[in-house]
Amino acid sequence: MKPIVCKTYLLLICTLCLGVLTLRAQQNQQLLKAKPCFFKGSWQLVQTFSVGGLHQVNKSDYDGIMCFRSLHRYYEEVNYESNHWIIEGKWRINRKKKTLELTSRNYTVGQLEEHPKDITLSIFQSDKKNWAGGTTDKGQDVKVYYTHIANNCK
C-alpha cells in the first residue's frame, strides 16, 4: 500500500472513532442533565448504596417519600421502625454543578434532633421517572435512588 493511502485510512478511522466517542459523550450528558421540571412531584426511595453495597429498600421497613413542590418548597415523609417524621424545607437545583440542594430543613412532625442539617446531593442520574444522587456522610459514600410515584403532592 502506498503511504498516502495508509495515512488516509488512518485519518478516516481516527475521525470515525472520534465521532463515536463524541456521540456517546453527548448521550451521557443528556442523562446527567439536572432540570428542575424533572424533580417536581412525589418520589419514593427504592435503593441505597452505603457501606460498600447496594441495598433494596423494603417499604415495610423504611417508607421514605420526598415531594418537590412549586416555589422550591419540599417535604420529606419517613416511616421507619414505628417512628414517623416529616421534614419541610427548600430545594434548589444547581445546574452547573449538577447538584440538588435541600436547605432550610425543619421538622414539622416527630422531631429526632434539634435541627436537621442541609443536604447537597450530586446528581448522577435524572429523568422523568428516576433520579439518583450521592453525598459523603461521615467519610462514607452514600447514594440514594428514587423513582417517580405521582405528579402532584399532598
Side-chain angles (χ1 to χ4, degrees), residues 64-119:
I65 294 176
M66 198 176 283
C67 182
F68 298 101
R69 301 186 216 171
S70 59
L71 302 176
H72 293 278
R73 296 175 299 134
Y74 95 98
Y75 75 87
E76 181 178 359
E77 184 171 2
V78 177
N79 291 299
Y80 176 63
E81 292 183 349
S82 72
N83 292 316
H84 176 250
W85 65 88
I86 298 175
I87 298 174
E88 291 187 358
K90 297 278 188 179
W91 67 280
R92 178 180 175 269
I93 299 290
N94 186 331
R95 293 179 79 175
K96 289 183 181 178
K97 294 181 181 178
K98 293 184 177 123
T99 59
L100 170 63
E101 300 168 0
L102 305 174
T103 60
S104 305
R105 301 173 72 223
N106 291 309
Y107 287 103
T108 57
V109 173
Q111 186 169 355
L112 298 177
E113 55 194 15
E114 189 171 320
H115 186 72
K117 59 184 176 180
D118 293 346
I119 298 173

Side-chain angles (χ1 to χ4, degrees), residues 32-56:
L32 296 175
K33 282 187 179 177
K35 292 185 177 183
C37 61
F38 287 165
F39 288 87
K40 288 189 179 177
S42 296
W43 299 85
Q44 175 79 48
L45 181 65
V46 292
Q47 284 182 334
T48 62
F49 176 86
S50 61
V51 194
L54 190 62
H55 311 284
Q56 292 290 339

